[in-house]
Amino acid sequence: MSAGTVAVAVLQDAGISPWEMYELSIALAVFGIPHEDLADPWYRLRLCTDEPRGASGRDAGEPYGPGFSLRTAHGLDALVGADTVIVPSVPEECVDGGREIPTALVEALREAAASGSRMVSLCTGAFALAEAGLLDGRRATAHWQHTAELAARHPSVTVDDSVLYTDDGSVLTSAGATAALDLCLHLVRRDLGAHVANQLARRLVVHAHRAGGQAQFIEAPLPPAGDEGLGPVLQWAVEHLAEPLTVNDLARRARMSPRTFHRRLLEATGTTPMRWLLQQRIARAQMLLESTDLPVERIGERSGLGTAANLRRHFTRAVGVSPTAYRRSFPTPQAPAAKAGAPAGGAGTAVR
């Protein structure tokens, strides 16, 4: 696995709004800050805009309109040839119908996809990928406030407004705000492995891993003051994945009925207790495959997935490759085997 080049496309001819800057900043924080101690080489990022270096004759250090502007050496033609192309949020007027997605961006995205680039959108960046025809026949998402418009404007796209992000291999899309960070960490996880993604998440002080299928929007009341929520019991579960945990075990430790625990976890994460446990066990198996030379049978035991056959079945379904094929991507263990029983980067501690 390798990092490669990440090209980020930004429209700034009318200025960049704070919301657009949010998703852009996420991409820059994940891929643009070197972390060679985690993986060497790290990603090589180039920021590509429709007006590089103030090409319009205006000072690139001054806003072109309400919002911010950027100084960069790369135009949209530099998207072509990048290993990964990311389109953060596009201007609001491109979403509400007041302005078309610029032809220059649409053509650059098509050329980049044709050259073999992995195409990624964050939030309303999906409108640009859709306009380029790159989402036709695919499942995609965006911020739930904009998914109805995306579906109406592009009926050939299967729009899912209920998930954090989608991964169709060469094309990935995310919802807005923190879901964009989830997708960026997912990309790191795909490229460099669970260990690196978990360590980066710790530096960013965010969830180690939220599966793309989790709900975007959950109608849940704030917990009462002094209520620690589900965090302690989920942390305990992560530390005891090798044991045959049941919903009754977790509910008893949380001092709830199984039915109440099931409801509380669904409200907090959008997923069921057993699916949550499976996600944590897959993450533990990934970490062990990357960082140890333990046989698959032992990894099945330590991750709580049981037999090697059960590990292979669940792992292949979730990750897309077999445990053995996944391990071949990490020829050198990244952490000593003595730490194999440690929690995988704090996964599961973020739900409160």
Side-chain angles (χ1 to χ4, degrees), residues 132-173:
L134 304 180
L135 299 183
D136 289 351
R138 298 179 185 269
R139 179 168 159 264
T141 193
H143 191 288
W144 59 269
Q145 288 182 311
H146 303 299
T147 47
E149 177 63 24
L150 180 64
R153 196 181 302 182
H154 301 282
S156 58
V157 180
T158 302
V159 179
D160 189 342
D161 64 357
S162 67
V163 297
L164 295 178
Y165 57 84
T166 65
D167 181 347
D168 199 17
S170 60
V171 179
L172 302 91
T173 65

Side-chain angles (χ1 to χ4, degrees), residues 34-260:
H35 295 278
E36 283 90 354
D37 58 320
L38 297 182
D40 190 8
W42 193 250
Y43 295 90
R44 301 181 303 281
L45 184 138
R46 55 179 180 246
L47 190 58
C48 308
T49 80
D50 49 346
E51 295 196 358
R53 288 186 176 175
S56 65
R58 290 167 290 192
D59 186 340
E62 297 178 357
Y64 297 155
F68 305 88
S69 65
L70 302 167
R71 185 186 297 275
T72 176
H74 302 290
L76 295 176
D77 58 332
L79 297 176
V80 180
D83 295 292
T84 302
V85 171
I86 299 178
V87 186
S89 293
V90 296
E92 186 69 26
E93 55 267 29
C94 291
V95 176
D96 62 19
R99 175 190 179 193
E100 294 184 355
I101 303 290
T103 301
L105 175 59
V106 172
E107 292 179 350
L109 292 175
R110 287 173 179 161
E111 291 181 28
S115 72
S117 299
R118 178 174 59 183
M119 309 302 292
V120 179
S121 67
L122 307 181
C123 193
T124 56
F127 282 81
L129 294 190
E131 190 66 28
L134 304 180
L135 299 183
D136 289 351
R138 298 179 185 269
R139 179 168 159 264
T141 193
H143 191 288
W144 59 269
Q145 288 182 311
H146 303 299
T147 47
E149 177 63 24
L150 180 64
R153 196 181 302 182
H154 301 282
S156 58
V157 180
T158 302
V159 179
D160 189 342
D161 64 357
S162 67
V163 297
L164 295 178
Y165 57 84
T166 65
D167 181 347
D168 199 17
S170 60
V171 179
L172 302 91
T173 65
S174 85
T178 55
L181 180 54
D182 289 315
L183 178 54
C184 287
L185 288 172
H186 173 71
L187 290 169
V188 174
R189 192 181 190 88
R190 271 185 46 174
D191 296 341
L192 302 174
H195 177 74
V196 172
N198 289 342
Q199 293 305 308
L200 180 59
R202 289 184 65 189
R203 292 182 182 183
L204 297 173
V205 197
V206 294
H207 310 269
H209 179 228
R210 290 203 299 173
Q214 282 192 213
Q216 264 193 54
F217 179 70
I218 303 166
E219 289 276 11
L222 292 174
D227 184 358
E228 291 184 301
L230 299 174
V233 69
L234 297 184
Q235 176 61 41
W236 177 86
V238 167
E239 295 170 356
H240 294 79
L241 290 176
E243 301 174 16
L245 302 176
T246 66
V247 176
N248 287 344
D249 295 330
L250 299 180
R252 189 179 308 113
R253 191 166 189 88
R255 297 181 180 179
M256 302 176 188
S257 69
R259 183 173 181 177
T260 298

